Amino acid sequence: MKLRNIKLFALASALVAMLAGCDRPFEMDLPLAVNSRLIELDKESGSTHVMVYSTGAWTAHLTENVTWASLNKLSGEGNSDLVFNYSANYGVARKVGIVLETAELKDTIFVKQKGSVTEPSFLFTNTAVGLVRSSASVRLPLTTNLQYGLENIQYKVTYDEEIGDPDDEDFVAPTNIDRWISDIVVTKSSVTFNVKENTTDEPRVAYIRFEVYDATIDGSNYNTTVTVTQGIADPVFVLEASEGVYQGYAGEYTVIATNNNIWPYYHEAKIDIEYTGEVEPWVKSAKITSDGLVFSLLENETEASRQVKLTVSYADKLGNEVSAEYAITQKVFPKPIEFSEVRAMSEGKIGLPQYIEGFIISDYNSKNICPAPQTAQFKYDFTENDKTAYIESVDGRYGFCLKFATEADAQIARYSKVKLALENVSLKKELNPDRYYITGVTAADFIEIANGSAPVKTKSITELTDDDIFTLVSVPDLEIVYKDGCFTNCTDGYSLKCDANPFSGIAGGSRWCESPLMMIDSKGNTINMVTNCSVPWRRDGKDKAMGTIVPQGTGTFKGIVVAEPMVRYGDVGRYQLRAMVKEDIALTGAPTYKTIVEWNWNDWKADTAPEVGAGTLTNCGTTAAASDFNNTYNGRDGDGGNGGATSNQKGLINNAAIKFTKQWWDNTNNVGSYFDVNFSTAGVSGSKMFFGIVWGHGAMGNTTLDSPAHWKLLYSVDGGATFNDVPDCPIITNRSIVWWTTTTQDATPGFKENVRLLPSDCFGKENVVVRVQVADKVADDKGKNAVISDGSWATNFGIEKGTIGTVQTSGQEIRIGTITVRYN
């Protein structure tokens, strides 16, 4: 009987069994119907049944021989089924056809299987290959993610003679082309092919195009072409040096070849390794590449340097030979040395075959690693941050500041455990407080870099010592004193124009690089955190109004202990803390201190009424509104380039501070003038009480710098009848504030924060008075009237080099952002 039609269905095994073993009604589930002529499979291995309906004999076979699929039988009679088995697909999608035939009719079902690889790669080390004239077997290294799908890689050779001028419409490729490339084989790691000898007098060129067939698109979704040029030269291989000296640690090295046409035959080249003396082999993986001679050295754990000679040789099939020698000396592997031993060395190049082991505790992505060194009057080197890191010892006891040659050298992940060789680096020291630097560091100086977990010491403020500098410390029980703004109480009119500050500032002309923010513990001890002007989270508010982004509570600050003198701010403590990321500032608990009275002018009213609590300010002279610098908002695109309206530009907030103007020195009695802070502590008891003030001075111009710089605190608990000096109270400095181009000296870019503890007898009193009085006639000097263009800028700071004028026809200004009295 003739076969009039073939009906094909892909069925699950269970369904086939049900058809064979049951005669009860059923419903056929045919998601992959034959009439579509397509079966689509997932990438996992499996099998599928194909039902064949026929009135006679039939045969079956695949459209091509593939290794990943098979049929359980190749023929049958009448209605029957066959099984298509397939393996898992770790390459790109693939396809094969099942051909069904009778004596007269033929039909094909196509089977597509999804693949694990959706973006194939097929990368040659070199896509331009130059060959010698001799016949040879060529091998080209490659990297591919198609190790299990090589059958999907197709190739075609096109010779230069077959390519005509695109503008020549009459071009016809010659028929007698010498097809000198043959036997192309693609493996998991290379492509090999044979070439004939070039017997002509000219180089010849061919192009091998590789394509990856993807059944998903029924075509190629990746291709690359290798250009093969066979010249008429004999083999040549010349190294740029004949010898080299290497460190004692393991590594892979390359000696550049200045002339090299034998690398495509690296599999046939010989590399003889001749050791000096009887030793265990310590040169591994020596090979020829397009770059030259590549080899790996094992770590030298012996007690002396060792030598070996490598000889490269190659002979082509015409008998032409080439060779090159390279002598290697490997030093001994550096021995470990303790941080304390390095700290005790003299300054200068260390030059010892030793290494320190520790943890990198800084984050190279952070813009808060270190201050920018000042290079001219109004210029800083902001690249220094990205060339700096901190390393602490394995036990966390000591630390070094690392200064790298380049920014790329410094890119080592935070908390990496490293071994740093000391032979090529130098030691630098700064004393009182004692700080230790390792300079001239490069990436090559690191013997080992591994993932790690750095120790974090827990210490209170008073427990910190010089040994903790450049180490990672968690300081508990801290809260930020002045919480009504951002992390940097400075004008951004003179900060660096950068990604964190794109809408104001000066590109390359910044007048400040870092700013302190005071923190306090429950015992009244203070420490400053330091934040750079390039830090993106320091002032990241989104609205044109003064808000708060600093943490409001008490908790733990995890930071790197530093000691950074800030001449513009005066005394900022012996130690400071630097946070690498904002998340290191975990001040999430309830605040420790309660406020008795506070003036912060956050209501934008230039009066002497407190915003919190009850109290008065007296003897203030003339009062007027002033700008604060702690706006959390710093402008955005569309706000005019200056942060929006005048009241919000450059981090400033108009009317959010106050200025007192008066003659601050009584020439008649030769004594400083003062203002008083009056409040009551009746019914208030506790362990610590402090007075805090945030301020600066001057009309922010070069001619108004003669406001008093030194102030002292007195107190009265009887309403001002008697005053005493606040005990153990250092002088409070007041710095002149930088302001636009009229300030030619280097001045403070914003307000300085101060805290002083008040004596315990201030608790429980009806009328307490804190008197803030000028201590002496020291003021800032007006400085030069022009910008300092020579190198004398470093000795021309006007801070505390002036004197309050003897004859005062008008008063001097002091500017105050906050006055507060708190207790716990």
Side-chain angles (χ1 to χ4, degrees):
M1 176 179 285
K2 292 183 178 181
L3 178 61
R4 298 186 181 276
N5 194 12
I6 301 175
K7 295 183 180 179
L8 310 170
F9 298 96
L11 300 176
S13 299
L15 180 55
V16 173
M18 183 176 68
L19 289 172
C22 302
D23 58 0
R24 63 174 179 261
F26 63 94
E27 292 182 1
M28 297 175 64
D29 182 13
L30 303 174
L32 302 174
V34 158
N35 55 13
S36 68
R37 297 299 191 273
L38 178 65
I39 299 174
E40 292 187 295
L41 306 171
D42 288 332
K43 61 185 178 180
E44 289 78 16
S45 62
S47 63
T48 185
H49 284 255
V50 176
M51 295 298 299
V52 180
Y53 293 92
S54 174
T55 56
W58 51 266
T59 62
H61 65 272
L62 300 179
T63 53
E64 57 184 301
N65 291 326
V66 296
T67 59
W68 59 274
S70 64
L71 298 174
N72 71 323
K73 58 185 178 181
L74 302 179
S75 62
E77 179 80 22
N79 296 335
S80 182
D81 73 316
L82 56 82
V83 180
F84 179 85
N85 299 294
Y86 52 94
S87 60
N89 186 6
Y90 300 105
V92 296
R94 55 196 179 187
K95 181 175 75 170
V96 72
I98 305 173
V99 180
L100 299 172
E101 293 183 272
T102 68
E104 298 178 355
L105 298 176
K106 180 179 180 180
D107 209 341
T108 303
I109 302 169
F110 286 100
V111 181
K112 286 185 178 181
Q113 185 183 22
K114 297 177 181 178
S116 301
V117 176
T118 56
E119 296 184 5
S121 65
F122 195 74
L123 306 176
F124 289 95
T125 305
N126 299 83
T127 56
V129 182
L131 305 178
V132 301
R133 64 187 176 96
S134 170
S135 62
S137 172
V138 177
R139 180 172 293 177
L140 306 181
L142 68 84
T143 302
T144 180
N145 59 0
L146 300 174
Q147 293 92 339
Y148 303 102
L150 298 177
E151 68 275 7
N152 290 68
I153 300 172
Q154 302 173 353
Y155 53 83
K156 178 183 179 182
V157 181
T158 303
Y159 295 90
D160 208 31
E161 300 92 319
E162 297 178 278
I163 303 174
D165 186 342
D167 296 328
D168 185 0
E169 298 180 355
D170 298 326
F171 173 77
V172 178
T175 58
N176 59 342
I177 293 175
D178 182 6
R179 301 188 180 277
W180 44 274
I181 293 179
S182 62
D183 303 319
I184 298 176
V185 177
V186 180
T187 71
K188 294 180 179 180
S189 59
S190 66
V191 169
T192 62
F193 55 88
N194 294 329
V195 296
K196 297 178 183 179
E197 178 186 347
N198 185 0
T199 59
T200 72
D201 295 329
E202 299 290 339
R204 53 188 182 183
V205 180
Y207 309 92
I208 310 176
R209 178 182 174 89
F210 296 88
E211 294 186 345
V212 178
Y213 178 80
D214 188 337
T216 304
I217 59 175
D218 282 324
S220 171
N221 69 350
Y222 180 89
N223 67 80
T224 186
T225 298
V226 175
T227 302
V228 182
T229 303
Q230 185 180 28
I232 57 175
D234 294 327
V236 61
F237 185 73
V238 180
L239 296 173
E240 67 175 2
S242 60
E243 61 182 4
V245 179
Y246 298 86
Q247 299 297 329
Y249 34 92
E252 183 179 86
Y253 306 93
T254 299
V255 184
I256 299 298
T258 57
N259 203 344
N260 173 17
N261 65 4
I262 69 170
W263 70 266
Y265 321 108
Y266 68 92
H267 56 296
E268 294 180 348
K270 294 181 180 180
I271 302 179
D272 293 325
I273 303 175
E274 182 183 348
Y275 294 96
T276 300
E278 295 183 3
V279 296
E280 291 291 328
W282 48 274
V283 178
K284 302 291 183 182
S285 305
K287 59 187 177 182
I288 302 300
T289 71
S290 58
D291 293 325
L293 174 61
V294 178
F295 54 86
S296 296
L297 302 182
L298 299 182
E299 185 177 299
N300 185 2
E301 297 177 330
T302 68
E303 296 299 322
S305 297
R306 55 191 182 184
Q307 291 77 36
V308 68
K309 182 174 71 174
L310 275 58
T311 302
V312 178
S313 61
Y314 173 74
D316 67 17
K317 292 184 179 181
L318 296 175
N320 300 301
E321 297 183 3
V322 66
S323 66
E325 293 183 349
Y326 188 74
I328 297 171
T329 298
Q330 187 187 32
K331 298 180 180 181
V332 298
F333 187 81
K335 301 299 185 290
I337 187 172
E338 297 296 328
F339 277 50
S340 57
E341 297 177 80
V342 179
R343 286 157 56 103
M345 293 178 181
S346 300
E347 287 190 280
K349 186 173 181 179
I350 297 175
L352 296 175
Q354 294 176 292
Y355 70 86
I356 55 173
E357 184 174 21
F359 294 94
I360 298 296
I361 54 174
S362 50
D363 184 343
Y364 73 84
N365 293 305
S366 176
K367 293 299 181 181
N368 203 41
I369 299 176
C370 73
Q374 190 167 357
T375 58
Q377 186 182 17
F378 300 138
K379 290 187 180 296
Y380 291 82
D381 180 6
F382 286 98
T383 67
E384 189 71 16
N385 183 86
D386 299 334
K387 295 187 290 186
T388 301
Y390 299 104
I391 182 175
E392 71 174 14
S393 55
V394 173
D395 61 3
R397 182 175 181 182
Y398 299 115
F400 286 108
C401 178
L402 305 181
K403 294 295 184 179
F404 288 84
T406 69
E407 298 172 19
D409 289 319
Q411 293 184 2
I412 302 174
R414 192 181 191 191
Y415 303 135
S416 293
K417 189 174 186 181
V418 301
K419 293 179 180 178
L420 174 62
L422 302 176
E423 186 166 8
N424 299 313
V425 298
S426 298
L427 177 68
K428 176 186 173 183
K429 301 180 183 181
E430 293 180 348
L431 303 179
N432 192 30
D434 297 344
R435 289 149 287 169
Y436 299 86
Y437 302 81
I438 296 177
T439 64
V441 183
T442 68
D445 295 313
F446 287 89
I447 301 170
E448 184 178 298
I449 300 176
N451 294 332
S453 179
V456 183
K457 296 176 290 189
T458 298
K459 286 193 171 187
S460 66
I461 295 174
T462 56
E463 291 173 332
L464 295 174
T465 70
D466 287 5
D467 287 347
D468 297 313
I469 295 176
F470 304 150
T471 69
L472 188 61
V473 179
S474 283
V475 183
D477 186 32
L478 292 183
E479 68 176 282
I480 293 172
V481 180
Y482 303 100
K483 306 181 178 73
D484 60 340
C486 65
F487 286 95
T488 52
N489 195 344
C490 299
T491 170
D492 274 328
Y494 277 129
S495 65
L496 176 69
K497 183 182 285 291
C498 60
D499 291 343
N501 185 47
F503 303 117
S504 56
I506 300 177
S510 178
R511 296 194 183 184
W512 67 281
C513 68
E514 60 182 344
S515 173
L517 183 69
M518 184 169 285
M519 297 183 290
I520 192 169
D521 66 15
S522 60
K523 297 181 175 62
N525 304 299
T526 60
I527 191 169
N528 282 289
M529 67 170 288
V530 185
T531 309
N532 288 347
C533 67
S534 299
V535 172
W537 43 263
R538 68 180 178 89
R539 194 196 305 271
D540 60 358
K542 306 304 181 186
D543 299 316
K544 290 191 289 186
M546 201 279 291
T548 292
I549 64 171
V550 298
Q552 300 296 295
T554 301
T556 298
F557 187 108
K558 182 174 72 173
I560 296 171
V561 180
V562 295
E564 298 172 1
M566 301 182 196
V567 62
R568 294 165 184 78
Y569 284 94
D571 182 15
V572 290
R574 189 173 182 88
Y575 311 116
Q576 301 85 42
L577 296 172
R578 280 189 173 271
M580 292 297 99
V581 294
K582 187 176 181 181
E583 290 71 25
D584 287 343
I585 310 170
L587 311 182
T588 57
T592 298
Y593 288 88
K594 300 176 183 178
T595 301
I596 295 174
V597 63
E598 179 169 306
W599 292 261
N600 55 41
W601 294 279
N602 290 342
D603 58 3
W604 298 2
K605 295 179 180 179
D607 56 29
T608 57
E611 279 70 26
V612 181
T616 59
L617 297 174
T618 57
N619 303 310
C620 302
T622 303
T623 64
S627 296
D628 206 344
F629 304 88
N630 61 348
N631 198 344
T632 62
Y633 176 80
N634 195 29
R636 60 190 168 209
D637 195 18
D639 284 341
N642 286 328
T646 302
S647 60
N648 299 287
Q649 67 175 346
K650 300 174 174 59
L652 273 64
I653 314 169
N654 274 3
N655 304 325
I658 199 168
K659 60 182 177 182
F660 299 161
T661 304
K662 64 187 294 187
Q663 295 183 6
W664 290 107
W665 190 261
D666 182 349
N667 288 304
T668 302
N669 298 303
N670 198 31
V671 65
S673 187
Y674 57 84
F675 65 89
D676 289 336
V677 182
N678 308 271
F679 55 93
S680 173
T681 61
V684 176
S685 61
S687 60
K688 299 290 180 183
M689 183 186 302
F690 73 78
F691 169 82
I693 188 168
V694 181
W695 64 356
H697 76 240
M700 297 185 283
N702 199 41
T703 59
T704 59
L705 304 178
D706 56 350
S707 297
H710 293 168
W711 300 68
K712 62 181 180 179
L713 286 188
L714 300 91
Y715 78 103
S716 170
V717 294
D718 57 9
T722 58
F723 280 92
N724 295 297
D725 291 335
V726 173
D728 302 317
C729 179
I731 288 293
I732 301 177
T733 58
N734 192 325
R735 298 300 196 202
S736 55
I737 301 171
V738 67
W739 187 252
W740 315 133
T741 56
T742 58
T743 306
T744 55
Q745 73 154 12
D746 287 53
T748 309
F751 286 145
K752 167 72 183 300
E753 300 176 348
N754 302 273
V755 162
R756 294 294 186 268
L757 292 180
L758 298 176
S760 59
D761 58 344
C762 288
F763 281 109
K765 300 298 189 298
E766 288 288 344
N767 195 347
V768 180
V769 182
V770 173
R771 175 160 291 177
V772 187
Q773 184 173 9
V774 177
D776 52 41
K777 298 185 71 174
V778 175
D780 290 348
D781 183 58
K782 295 179 181 179
K784 294 186 177 182
N785 292 323
V787 173
I788 301 170
S789 57
D790 58 29
S792 65
W793 64 269
T795 58
N796 271 282
F797 291 110
I799 297 171
E800 297 182 355
K801 292 184 178 180
T803 302
I804 298 174
T806 302
V807 179
Q808 302 177 39
T809 58
S810 60
Q812 297 89 32
E813 296 180 1
I814 62 171
R815 295 167 175 264
I816 302 172
T818 301
I819 295 174
T820 189
V821 179
R822 302 182 200 168
Y823 76 99
N824 68 1

